[in-house]
Amino acid sequence: MEYLLIIVSAIFVNNIVLAQFLGICPFLGVSNKLSTASGMSLAVCFVITLATVVTYLINKFLLVPFGLTFLQTIAFILVIAALVQMVEIVLKKVSPALYQALGIFLPLITTNCAVLGVAINVVTKEFTFGGEAHMLNLGEATVYAFATSLGYGLAMVLFAGIREHLSLNEVPKAFKGLPIALISVGIMALAFLGFSGIV
Amino acid sequence: MANKLSIITKGLLKENPTFVLVLGMCPTLATTTSAMNGLEMGLATMFVLILSNIVISLIAPVVPDKVHIPVYIVVIATFVTVLQLLMQAFTPDVYKTLGLFIPLIVVNCIILGRAEAFANKNSVWDSALDGIGIGLGFTLSLTVIGIVREILGSGAVFGFKFISGDGILAFVMAPGAFLVLGYLMVLFNKIAKK
Amino acid sequence: MAAKSSLVNMAVCLTAVCLVCAAILGVTYAVTKEPIDNAALAEAQASIAKVLPQGEAISEEKSADVEGILGYYVQTAADGSVSAYAVKTVTGGFGGPVTLMVGVLPDGTVYNTSVLSHAETPGLGAKCTEENSHFREQWKGFKGKLAVTKDGGDIDAITASTITSRAYTKAVAQAVALVAGFSGEETDAASGASVNNKEEQDNG
């Protein structure tokens, strides 16, 4: 039950793009086409989940015991950067097909603030699922990270669909490109606001 | 001198990080719930941007090409952590308000972007000016978005209320951020690109 | 521009940069540690002062192993008796955790409350932070049924923000319950009554 709440909350209520404003740059950057949007979503999903697990463990067994939590930012970003590189290398060797699909997005992910944002959130923020406020344990953190990245994918794919239609329409010159895209996201976010309060 | 001045002014209009380069969107959208928050976020980013620009322009000639990205990230992350510690010590309230978005300055594409596009091939002095210019442009944009959202959403400017009761709450929440930024961008296109 | 890469100069460069950065961070941490601690202390004291009657001695933060209680402080009067408690308590609101500081007198009366942190909706639930609002004023000197009127209690909820009001009320109730537990112990100790007796009664 707890896990279900986490999943619904992370995907719909606190959608990472539409409610938390994380990972906006790649969200706007690669959502032109449905195919690239879904590729990016998969890569992000993979990295966010992996990075959150690794940084959670590092925080718990290295930073906290030694009183070094002020190094969270620098430690996490380096771990994420290294992790992304490793994923790239491993993927290249193990599954060339997957690498073909995700490869070009991987380098972009290091500077995707969604990854660092989720990693920091999980170890610093208290969460309320079902009324009680508490810190997440490893299992919950993993589920939360995975569900959050699913939310990212959902927003991205929906938005790419809208944008593909937008590109076929005449819009006033000053609205062309990003402005009309941002206004569409605003309307999407308005719709997602309707989910608030259900968890 | 005019040349030096143009390095600063181009950050305000021609290479405005928010409306033209469209970089660093996350803090732009998330922290501009009021004019003051936008201003503070802009200044925090400017602090890191200037320092990282200076240091990176200094070390760029001796950094081997293959490791330049990791080196830059370490430098930027160091300054962000310094900023976090200073803010916790001297402006704990601001630190609490801006929350997650202070550590996230590390992955703000403006900073790594300026390091790559400007600081690593220009002199220390020019890089510092570039940091100031882009930083000011970012701060100004965030403040403007903050002002618009605060007027519409809370009926106030910099915390001074001019109507009683509430504004249009959606503008303080997530959808308002996207809408205001979108329409401001339209306005900017109309004025700047004529 | 950039130097040519070789294994040696890459390793040297990375090590040097990391050493310098570590040094900068170490120094900054050492310099800012005291101000950060002071700021945290000042903040805690300010939030306690807001919810308690005018100043007697206040204890260090103590922890209680109770769900939802983050810690508490004991205020003692000049004669050494306990005059009030300040309890830091947290519950889940509409948008996330709501953390309160609640001042409670030993008899269970709420002295005052203040919001330490929250993530409620601006303009709706976030109104619980507005000082001097009816919602906040009603807590001063409150002693009654700790539930919102909708649930049959004595607390008027914030308009259109029942969930936030419930969370707020629950947080206060946690604090009052904690103090009620203490007061039992305190009076037992003061009157010299045997604690064992009480336990036997409870068991019986």
Side-chain angles (χ1 to χ4, degrees):
Chain A
M1 190 55 200
E2 175 97 324
Y3 287 111
L4 190 70
L5 286 178
I6 294 179
I7 292 169
V8 173
S9 158
I11 296 181
F12 297 108
V13 184
N14 290 312
N15 185 280
I16 185 161
V17 179
L18 301 171
Q20 299 187 52
F21 303 111
L22 292 174
I24 306 276
C25 289
F27 176 75
L28 293 173
V30 302
S31 57
N32 278 325
K33 283 213 305 263
L34 207 53
S35 55
T36 49
S38 42
M40 184 67 172
S41 308
L42 275 177
V44 166
C45 192
F46 198 61
V47 174
I48 285 190
T49 314
L50 199 62
T52 305
V53 173
V54 174
T55 51
Y56 184 94
L57 293 173
I58 286 179
N59 188 62
K60 187 160 184 192
F61 295 108
L62 261 175
L63 299 182
V64 173
F66 291 104
L68 293 173
T69 44
F70 75 100
L71 290 178
Q72 259 163 8
T73 313
I74 193 165
F76 284 12
I77 187 67
L78 290 177
V79 167
I80 290 168
L83 208 65
V84 171
Q85 286 286 315
M86 253 168 56
V87 168
E88 205 178 337
I89 295 168
V90 170
L91 223 53
K92 212 176 195 169
K93 286 251 154 57
V94 177
S95 165
L98 203 57
Y99 179 76
Q100 280 274 305
L102 305 184
I104 48 165
F105 302 110
L106 283 172
L108 293 174
I109 290 180
T110 311
T111 52
N112 184 338
C113 60
V115 183
L116 185 62
V118 171
I120 294 181
N121 255 345
V122 158
V123 298
T124 53
K125 242 175 77 177
E126 282 187 321
F127 286 81
T128 48
F129 299 112
E132 305 295 342
H134 63 89
M135 303 296 284
L136 298 181
N137 62 33
L138 183 58
E140 289 165 341
T142 315
V143 172
Y144 172 78
F146 183 67
T148 301
S149 56
L150 285 185
Y152 191 78
L154 177 74
M156 190 104 133
V157 169
L158 284 178
F159 185 53
I162 295 178
R163 257 184 121 170
E164 282 193 346
H165 280 275
L166 267 181
S167 66
L168 299 175
N169 286 304
E170 274 302 318
V171 292
K173 205 173 150 222
F175 281 84
K176 272 218 168 88
L178 272 179
I180 189 72
L182 279 165
I183 292 165
S184 320
V185 187
I187 296 167
M188 254 174 89
L190 211 51
F192 268 70
L193 213 57
F195 289 115
S196 61
I198 60 172
V199 172
Chain B
M1 193 57 218
N3 183 23
K4 300 278 175 211
L5 201 66
S6 76
I7 296 182
I8 294 187
T9 52
K10 76 169 194 285
L12 294 177
L13 279 177
K14 220 173 88 216
E15 289 187 26
N16 184 294
T18 307
F19 295 115
V20 181
L21 304 179
V22 200
L23 293 173
M25 283 295 109
C26 301
T28 308
L29 293 163
T31 61
T32 52
T33 49
S34 72
M36 204 59 207
N37 289 352
L39 180 66
E40 285 158 357
M41 186 69 220
L43 291 177
T45 311
M46 190 161 127
F47 171 86
V48 177
L49 183 58
I50 296 173
L51 287 177
S52 75
N53 256 4
I54 292 175
V55 170
I56 286 171
S57 72
L58 277 173
I59 61 171
V62 293
V63 174
D65 203 30
K66 272 188 187 156
V67 291
H68 74 283
I69 295 277
V71 168
Y72 294 176
I73 290 181
V74 173
V75 170
I76 296 168
T78 306
F79 285 126
V80 170
T81 310
V82 168
L83 174 74
Q84 276 183 288
L85 290 169
L86 289 175
M87 286 182 78
Q88 278 173 22
F90 302 110
T91 56
D93 292 338
V94 180
Y95 184 76
K96 254 174 117 178
T97 321
L98 299 179
L100 179 63
F101 288 90
I102 295 296
L104 286 186
I105 293 176
V106 175
V107 283
N108 187 325
C109 3
I110 292 178
I111 297 182
L112 199 59
R114 290 325 285 177
E116 282 282 286
F118 195 96
N120 69 357
K121 39 184 156 323
N122 284 285
S123 71
V124 179
W125 182 228
D126 285 357
S127 301
L129 288 180
D130 180 71
I132 295 173
I134 299 282
L136 280 178
F138 189 63
T139 310
L140 197 70
S141 313
L142 258 62
T143 314
V144 169
I145 300 171
I147 290 175
V148 174
R149 285 181 71 187
E150 201 179 348
I151 290 175
L152 292 171
S154 336
V157 178
F158 281 101
F160 298 108
K161 270 186 108 64
F162 57 79
I163 59 160
S164 58
D166 302 316
I168 311 162
L169 290 174
F171 282 100
V172 185
M173 292 189 267
F178 290 108
L179 292 176
V180 169
L181 181 62
Y183 280 109
L184 281 178
M185 225 177 239
V186 172
L187 207 65
F188 195 89
N189 284 349
K190 272 271 181 211
I191 297 168
K193 287 184 181 165
K194 230 170 213 167
Chain C
M1 190 191 79
K4 251 200 139 90
S5 317
S6 71
L7 193 63
V8 178
N9 76 3
M10 284 198 293
V12 169
C13 175
L14 279 176
T15 317
V17 167
C18 287
L19 280 179
V20 173
C21 287
I24 294 174
L25 283 179
V27 170
T28 318
Y29 180 70
V31 172
T32 54
K33 191 168 186 325
E34 214 186 306
I36 290 177
D37 291 346
N38 288 343
L41 197 68
E43 198 195 324
Q45 275 169 351
S47 64
I48 296 167
K50 241 195 246 169
V51 298
L52 287 185
Q54 274 285 308
E56 308 289 336
I58 293 170
S59 75
E60 297 269 296
E61 179 165 354
K62 299 179 179 181
S63 61
D65 195 18
V66 181
E67 175 102 39
I69 303 291
L70 299 174
Y72 68 95
Y73 304 82
V74 184
Q75 189 186 47
T76 44
D79 63 357
S81 65
V82 175
S83 57
Y85 298 88
V87 186
K88 215 198 275 180
T89 157
V90 62
T91 49
F94 187 80
V98 176
T99 314
L100 302 184
M101 184 69 87
V102 184
V104 188
L105 303 180
D107 66 351
T109 309
V110 177
Y111 187 80
N112 200 354
T113 59
S114 87
V115 181
L116 297 179
S117 70
H118 74 97
E120 302 306 288
T121 320
L124 294 169
K127 279 189 180 153
C128 69
T129 59
E130 278 172 22
E131 313 257 344
N132 306 325
S133 61
H134 172 68
F135 181 76
R136 288 287 292 276
E137 286 296 317
Q138 66 184 336
W139 288 110
K140 291 183 181 164
F142 181 86
K143 193 167 171 54
K145 191 150 188 287
L146 278 161
V148 294
T149 40
K150 224 182 197 170
D151 303 338
D154 297 329
I155 294 296
D156 297 324
I158 302 167
T159 315
S161 304
T162 312
I163 296 178
T164 305
S165 310
R166 274 189 190 134
Y168 203 103
T169 310
K170 190 180 163 205
V172 175
Q174 287 172 351
V176 171
L178 181 80
V179 171
F182 292 148
S183 304
E185 288 167 27
E186 296 287 337
T187 41
D188 282 349
S191 64
S194 160
V195 178
N196 291 337
N197 274 347
K198 188 169 175 273
E199 271 178 11
E200 273 166 29
Q201 279 168 5
D202 284 350
N203 291 337

